[in-house]
Amino acid sequence: MGDDRRRYGAAHEDAERLREPIGLMDVRPGLVHENVVVGEPAMMLRSAIEEASRREYHVIDMGARVIGDAQAVAREWGEVARNADARTVVVGVGEVTVQVEGGGEGGRCQELAWLMAKELGGHARPSAFVAKASDGRDYVEGVGGAWVSETTMARIGELGLDWSSVARTHDTYPAFRALGQLIEGGHTGWNLCDLYVALVG
């Protein structure tokens, strides 16, 4: 009988302790938040500038925020390229915007490259423009971007393509495929920005 009372008393004390608030629950856990930048557009820009300088090109830096309407960006870059000295690289990174009208197939980089074909058309010196997505995906599967040169407008005419129609409908992918001036793409794991490079020979 005495053992039963002792067991009952111990159990009762345990139950009472369980009803008491636990001290740890009175303290709200703290939240530790830390931002770590593992990649940013400026990194791509620096790498491109360093490579161009290593190859002894004069560099015109258009910055890490090349943004805005693709047509406006193309006009600006076209003017810079036309007025650049020989052996110059115009380089910048960002993401242009496209106001899509119609059901054309293409991507931001293809759009800007198509517009730059007209800007470079008939350029006095050999010149080229490249637009490539850092993640290797310029909307169309397997396509990372596109390139044009001072001869692209002539080739567009030779193939019977209508530059204005393609630009108006944003149907750049089939046109670049016909030209053979698409840049192959694949998932890189880095969705930072697009890289834009204009070369003046």
Side-chain angles (χ1 to χ4, degrees):
M1 192 66 147
D3 290 341
D4 290 340
R5 285 199 197 95
R6 282 194 293 273
R7 280 197 294 271
Y8 173 78
H12 181 71
E13 290 174 5
D14 289 342
E16 287 301 317
R17 278 197 297 270
L18 288 173
R19 291 192 185 96
E20 295 174 1
I22 299 173
L24 290 175
M25 299 300 289
D26 295 335
V27 181
R28 295 179 69 88
L31 178 64
V32 178
H33 183 87
E34 182 179 356
N35 290 321
V36 179
V37 177
V38 295
E40 60 177 340
M43 291 169 59
M44 283 187 63
L45 180 61
R46 285 195 298 271
S47 294
I49 290 173
E50 288 170 5
E51 181 62 20
S53 299
R54 188 185 70 79
R55 293 173 180 265
E56 299 182 345
Y57 279 90
H58 171 66
V59 177
I60 297 177
D61 179 359
M62 300 295 280
R65 283 182 53 81
V66 179
I67 57 176
D69 179 69
Q71 293 186 14
V73 172
R75 285 193 296 270
E76 180 185 9
W77 278 63
E79 184 177 357
V80 171
R82 284 190 298 273
N83 293 316
D85 296 329
R87 199 165 176 77
T88 293
V89 171
V90 185
V91 61
V93 297
E95 288 186 356
V96 299
T97 54
V98 180
Q99 299 296 323
V100 178
E101 300 168 6
E105 188 176 12
R108 283 191 310 262
C109 292
Q110 295 163 73
E111 179 86 9
L112 184 56
W114 188 259
L115 297 171
M116 284 299 295
K118 189 171 185 180
E119 295 293 331
L120 298 181
H123 198 287
R125 291 190 293 270
S127 54
F129 176 80
V130 175
K132 187 175 188 302
S134 64
D135 65 353
R137 294 174 175 176
D138 189 37
Y139 191 72
V140 180
E141 186 68 31
V143 175
W147 65 273
V148 295
S149 72
E150 85 283 0
T151 65
T152 297
M153 284 299 290
R155 294 196 60 234
I156 287 171
E158 291 168 3
L159 290 174
L161 300 172
D162 185 336
W163 182 90
S164 296
S165 176
V166 171
R168 185 175 63 256
T169 60
H170 311 284
D171 203 22
T172 52
Y173 169 66
F176 273 120
R177 185 175 57 188
L179 287 165
Q181 292 179 205
L182 290 166
I183 298 173
E184 185 178 350
H187 184 51
T188 64
W190 289 91
N191 186 14
L192 293 177
C193 56
D194 299 332
L195 172 65
Y196 310 126
V197 179
L199 296 170
V200 180

